[in-house]
Amino acid sequence: MAAAAGVPGALGTLRAGRARLVAAYCAGIGPGWRLPGSWTGLPVGPAIWARGWTPAAGGAAWRRGYSSEAKTEDELRVRYLEEENRGIVVLGINRAYAKNSLSKNLVKMLSKAVDALKSDKKVRTIIVRSEVPGIFCAANLPVPTIAAIDGLALGGGLELALACDIRVAASSAKMGLVETKLAIIPGGGGTQRLPRAIGMSLAKELIFSARVLDGQEAKAVGLISHVLEQNQEGDAAYRKALDLAREFLPQGPVAIRVAKLAINQGMEVDLVTGLAIEEACYAQTVPTKDRLEGLLAFKEKRTPRYKGE
């Protein structure tokens, strides 16, 4: 009983310490403008674990179980778009035989892709989509990420989408955290990200009931930003995601990355600390060549040519 009584106080101390750490770190943030825990690669937990718990050796603890091992097909397709879409990268998940469930091999491939993309200054926006018709199934990246949901996004699939900055879906798409039907709970970030997206009460309702929403319903509750009527090709959400990515391309890449950092970190702390984070992030944009280019382009009435410097 004594140990249990001490938990809330310990959690409060942890949270307060974390807030002070964030504020202090932001005040002295360097050229990399990264905060502790940010963009350190694909975390094994919040976005990528597959469904199912399995007992660890000895039975004393529990660990996550991955889905079946990979077959020989390419499970992750990374496409760098060209011409007017240069700077947009599409991560296509392709495990048709397993309905895009996550294997150890796919996790490794995602991790490698994230490590490469987060350090590539030429990458402006990343779209996460399914290469399997009718199924959607990214990560902590410094650039905008868009989930294009053209089919099913249930359980881990929706948790992957929740890890993205923006979600768009076809009206015929189906989304839900259905783990309670299997007597487990969402364990890939769902219990934390869904309440932050749509509010605590509604998130509880959806998780407790294992309810599945279509695109229109998901838009009504704020789970997605845009809903589209599905087209004959079955890629309406992907096309909308591509349109959004094109809107981001002309903006200053350093500013986009820092804005994402400020928003993400600021939402985890109180307003005063959040404003301190914003101030520290803003300071990182002031000495950049892009800022000077933006001012010069405005003066000369031309389109700025940003280089991410």
Side-chain angles (χ1 to χ4, degrees):
M1 292 294 292
V7 169
L11 287 174
T13 301
L14 178 62
R15 289 182 182 132
R18 181 178 182 275
R20 288 193 295 270
L21 176 62
V22 170
Y25 195 89
C26 275
I29 202 166
W33 31 266
R34 295 187 180 185
L35 296 181
S38 298
W39 316 331
T40 55
L42 190 61
V44 179
I48 63 171
W49 276 339
R51 297 278 63 77
W53 292 89
T54 55
W62 292 79
R63 62 177 174 81
R64 271 293 187 178
Y66 291 99
S67 62
S68 60
E69 282 297 321
K71 294 189 178 180
T72 56
E73 64 178 297
D74 293 333
E75 296 189 344
L76 181 67
R77 297 173 179 172
V78 182
R79 291 191 294 130
Y80 290 76
L81 303 189
E82 298 294 339
E83 299 179 353
E84 72 273 12
N85 297 323
R86 187 180 298 275
I88 300 173
V89 175
V90 179
L91 294 182
I93 300 174
N94 182 50
R95 298 191 76 225
Y97 64 91
K99 295 186 178 180
N100 279 353
S101 60
L102 299 174
S103 67
K104 288 184 179 180
N105 184 61
L106 178 56
V107 167
K108 290 179 182 178
M109 295 173 72
L110 280 167
S111 183
K112 283 186 177 181
V114 167
D115 286 341
L117 292 171
K118 70 181 181 180
S119 60
D120 189 343
K121 292 185 178 181
K122 294 181 181 179
V123 175
R124 303 291 185 86
T125 300
I126 296 168
I127 297 174
V128 182
R129 69 176 303 212
S130 172
E131 299 283 335
V132 181
I135 300 174
F136 175 91
C137 191
N140 288 338
L141 286 158
V143 296
T145 55
I146 306 172
I149 307 171
D150 276 305
L152 298 177
L154 304 177
L158 181 55
E159 287 176 306
L160 280 170
L162 284 167
C164 293
D165 299 312
I166 301 166
R167 290 167 294 281
V168 299
S171 57
S172 58
K174 301 295 182 183
M175 290 157 273
L177 296 180
V178 297
E179 286 84 349
T180 53
K181 283 183 177 292
L182 303 175
I184 58 175
I185 70 168
T191 63
Q192 303 306 305
R193 290 191 174 98
L194 186 62
R196 286 167 167 81
I198 66 174
M200 183 185 298
S201 180
L202 188 52
K204 287 179 178 177
E205 180 181 330
L206 295 182
I207 291 174
F208 295 168
S209 64
R211 188 180 304 159
V212 175
L213 306 178
D214 62 26
Q216 295 289 353
E217 292 169 329
K219 176 65 167 64
V221 301
L223 180 56
I224 61 176
S225 300
H226 302 274
V227 59
L228 303 309
E229 289 298 319
Q230 188 57 282
N231 56 29
Q232 291 185 346
E233 293 78 13
D235 64 353
Y238 170 67
R239 289 175 183 268
K240 179 62 178 180
L242 199 55
D243 287 341
L244 291 173
R246 291 190 187 111
E247 284 190 62
F248 303 160
L249 285 180
Q251 320 313 326
V254 174
I256 293 291
R257 290 177 178 228
V258 175
K260 175 172 175 172
L261 174 64
I263 294 169
N264 286 354
Q265 295 294 333
M267 288 299 293
E268 300 299 322
V269 297
D270 59 86
L271 180 59
V272 173
T273 306
L275 291 172
I277 291 173
E278 180 186 75
E279 182 179 0
C281 288
Y282 178 84
Q284 297 306 307
T285 66
V286 174
T288 63
K289 294 179 180 179
D290 279 356
R291 186 186 72 88
L292 298 178
E293 166 62 14
L295 292 174
L296 183 61
F298 179 79
K299 181 180 179 181
E300 297 176 352
K301 297 182 180 180
R302 60 171 174 81
T303 301
R305 296 182 290 271
Y306 296 125
K307 297 181 180 179
E309 299 174 350

